[in-house]
Amino acid sequence: MTTADIMMLFSVFSIWSLLLVNVVLIIAGYGYYMKNDKRDIPDIEGEAPFVSIMVPAHNEGKVIVQTVRSLLALDYPHDRYEIIVINDNSSDNSKELLEQLQQQHADRQLIIINTDAVTGGKGKSNALNIGFQRSKGELIAIYDADNTPEKTALRYLVAEIVHDSSLGAVIGKFRTRNRDVNLLTRFINIETLSFQWMAQAGRWNLFKLCTIPGTNFILRRSIIEAIGGWDTKAIAEDTEISFQIYRLGYRIKFQPKSVTWEQEPQSLRVWFKQRTRWAKGNIYVIIKNIPLLFDRSAKRVRFDIIYFLSIYFLLLTSLLLSDTILIMNALGYVETTIAGFSSFLWLLAIVLFIVGTFVSLVTEKGEMRLSNVWIIMLMYVTYCQMWMVVAAYGLYQYVKDTIFKREVKWYKTERF
């Protein structure tokens, strides 16, 4: 057996191990969706707990008015929640737009915090810490500045957390508001439904584990106080705080009936910038929390640490290695006796990818379209391959930022 054969076998084993994990999560996630669809959301008995909704915003003039109006329209008792918008060192017309909204809704608890280059402009985590100092709710909800939550979104989250003291947080789901704009937004919509929300449902169903997304979630105030606020060095503050919640002994539940709609990137340039930020942020959290693998008190986060390590390091390495060997074998530079076998497994992996992704979509109304099969096939050979570039570049950016000790700043996703 040649060196190329050994390297190829290692790559194939690694890729297929992670692929099978994903298949198991899809099956478990589908089961959770079916059970949850038949389950009624519990009622909030007695007086509803007071909730502080925080919206960090940096140059969000294009979307912030629609977001605040949707938050004002929630069916949660209006005297039991406040909205805190942290207009963080914006240079657009956000301040004027927010002041107009505040005047129009003087009877509501709408708080606007305007920061400058001295106090703000240091990233989402810093903005959330500023907002938290002004908040008074026993529960804290977070929404991104481009979100339009459905009216029931907050009530469903609160109902879940007040009925289970073991829950430190409850997450809802976000959907793609601009999914039909172009092919890229179609890809993002499918990615969100299958690789984010179906995987979340599967992890909750099997392990009672979830990772907080950046928006549409609620957590206990006592948790933020216990951990001393958000880590300002973490640009993936959602993953970071998830690990902190589990370390405190709480669980995080996924309630897919709580839905918000958000705007996704409509150009490759914006998408690439956003996803490399996500990759870099997740790598920071993984490396920071690797010691927890050997901490007995942190057993709940071990699966997630191993899972993220596998995705960002093992899978990336295996994909790059196998692709390189197959290309070099085809050009005659190396010789491998299992190239044909690897090609068969590669084709089988594509079939599993298409079937699993399509099954994930059928749980959503309006997504049961045969045209999605062709979109998924095209997605595999284009969009999914771009992920390797994103992950590799995110790792490079993390290493560079670590060496030069760069300060965390707002990584603004351009709105349309």
Side-chain angles (χ1 to χ4, degrees):
M1 183 176 287
T2 65
T3 302
D5 286 340
I6 295 173
M7 294 171 70
M8 181 61 78
L9 283 174
F10 167 78
S11 299
V12 169
F13 177 78
S14 301
I15 293 168
W16 267 88
S17 297
L18 290 169
L19 178 62
L20 291 176
V21 168
N22 189 60
V23 169
V24 171
L25 289 177
I26 287 175
I27 294 170
Y30 187 84
Y32 177 67
Y33 268 94
M34 295 301 100
K35 288 189 297 184
N36 194 68
D37 193 52
K38 298 175 182 178
R39 172 179 170 268
D40 292 329
I41 304 292
D43 293 326
I44 301 173
E45 299 174 357
E47 185 177 49
F50 194 87
V51 181
S52 294
I53 300 176
M54 299 202 300
V55 184
H58 175 67
N59 289 337
E60 298 285 8
K62 291 181 180 179
V63 293
I64 194 63
V65 171
Q66 187 177 10
T67 295
V68 173
R69 284 177 175 164
S70 68
L71 293 172
L72 289 167
L74 293 170
D75 68 358
Y76 199 76
H78 289 179
D79 62 336
R80 300 304 297 162
Y81 75 96
E82 63 182 356
I83 302 169
I84 303 174
V85 181
I86 307 97
N87 181 37
D88 195 38
N89 192 33
S90 295
S91 57
D92 64 359
N93 62 339
S94 295
K95 181 179 179 181
E96 291 75 22
L97 292 171
L98 289 167
E99 286 176 350
Q100 291 175 12
L101 281 171
Q102 203 172 34
Q103 293 172 3
Q104 293 168 6
H105 300 278
D107 59 326
R108 300 293 300 276
Q109 300 184 66
L110 175 57
I111 300 168
I112 311 299
I113 301 174
N114 296 300
T115 71
D116 53 28
V118 176
T119 58
K122 299 178 178 64
K124 183 176 178 180
S125 294
N126 183 67
L128 289 172
N129 285 332
I130 292 171
F132 184 70
Q133 293 173 5
R134 288 282 302 272
S135 68
K136 58 183 180 181
E138 60 184 283
L139 298 173
I140 307 295
I142 309 295
Y143 284 93
D144 282 340
D146 64 326
N147 274 220
T148 51
E150 295 180 0
K151 289 187 175 183
T152 55
L154 180 64
R155 178 165 55 86
Y156 287 170
L157 296 177
V158 174
E160 291 286 2
I161 202 168
V162 298
H163 277 83
D164 190 344
S165 60
S166 72
L167 298 178
V170 180
I171 66 173
K173 75 161 55 165
F174 57 81
R175 293 291 313 276
T176 306
R177 190 167 71 208
N178 54 334
R179 64 182 177 181
D180 294 322
V181 169
N182 55 36
L183 191 59
L184 176 62
T185 57
R186 292 283 296 275
F187 287 159
I188 294 172
N189 179 56
I190 292 172
E191 175 201 16
T192 300
L193 293 175
S194 57
F195 298 104
Q196 293 194 43
W197 297 124
M198 189 57 73
Q200 291 271 38
R203 287 164 64 231
W204 171 257
N205 203 13
L206 291 175
F207 310 112
K208 294 299 180 278
L209 280 173
C210 283
T211 304
I212 288 178
T215 188
N216 195 28
F217 68 92
I218 197 164
L219 74 166
R220 301 183 188 276
R221 181 184 193 87
S222 57
I223 289 175
I224 304 300
E225 292 173 341
I227 64 177
W230 281 263
D231 180 353
T232 55
K233 293 181 180 179
I235 55 176
E237 80 297 327
D238 40 13
T239 307
E240 162 65 18
I241 205 163
S242 300
F243 286 10
Q244 296 289 348
I245 290 171
Y246 283 121
R247 288 192 69 184
L248 290 173
Y250 289 101
R251 294 183 301 156
I252 303 170
K253 185 174 184 178
F254 175 39
Q255 175 46 262
K257 289 182 180 179
S258 172
V259 178
T260 189
W261 294 81
E262 70 176 22
Q263 186 188 94
E264 299 292 355
Q266 295 178 190
S267 73
L268 278 175
R269 178 183 61 81
V270 175
W271 173 85
F272 186 80
K273 186 175 181 180
Q274 180 195 65
R275 297 311 167 93
T276 51
R277 172 174 60 85
W278 290 2
K280 182 172 70 171
N282 282 328
I283 289 167
Y284 165 83
V285 174
I286 294 166
I287 293 176
K288 175 185 175 181
N289 290 284
I290 282 179
L292 296 181
L293 288 173
F294 313 100
D295 186 342
R296 290 184 179 181
S297 66
K299 60 182 181 179
R300 284 186 175 178
V301 301
R302 285 176 186 164
F303 176 84
D304 273 357
I305 295 173
I306 294 171
Y307 181 76
F308 280 117
L309 274 172
S310 300
I311 293 296
Y312 282 102
F313 295 96
L314 182 60
L315 179 60
L316 177 62
T317 302
S318 300
L319 287 170
L320 291 173
L321 189 60
S322 62
D323 288 352
T324 300
I325 292 173
L326 287 174
I327 293 171
M328 292 183 71
N329 178 75
L331 295 175
Y333 291 110
V334 299
E335 187 174 334
T336 171
T337 58
I338 62 171
F341 179 63
S342 298
S343 298
F344 168 75
L345 290 178
W346 181 68
L347 290 172
L348 185 58
I350 295 176
V351 173
L352 280 175
F353 174 87
I354 294 170
V355 173
T357 306
F358 188 75
V359 168
S360 300
L361 297 183
V362 300
T363 60
E364 296 292 338
K365 294 178 181 178
E367 297 295 342
M368 184 60 176
R369 297 179 285 184
L370 287 177
S371 61
N372 275 333
V373 175
W374 301 106
I375 298 293
I376 294 169
M377 292 173 65
L378 182 60
M379 179 180 178
Y380 182 88
V381 298
T382 57
Y383 187 83
C384 292
Q385 307 311 311
M386 293 192 303
W387 174 84
M388 288 190 288
V389 180
V390 165
Y393 189 70
L395 179 59
Y396 163 74
Q397 288 287 328
Y398 168 78
V399 172
K400 189 170 69 171
D401 287 357
T402 302
I403 293 172
F404 294 104
K405 298 181 179 179
R406 294 182 176 177
E407 183 183 17
V408 174
K409 297 181 180 179
W410 267 104
Y411 289 82
K412 176 75 172 62
T413 299
E414 184 179 337
R415 309 300 182 194
F416 297 89

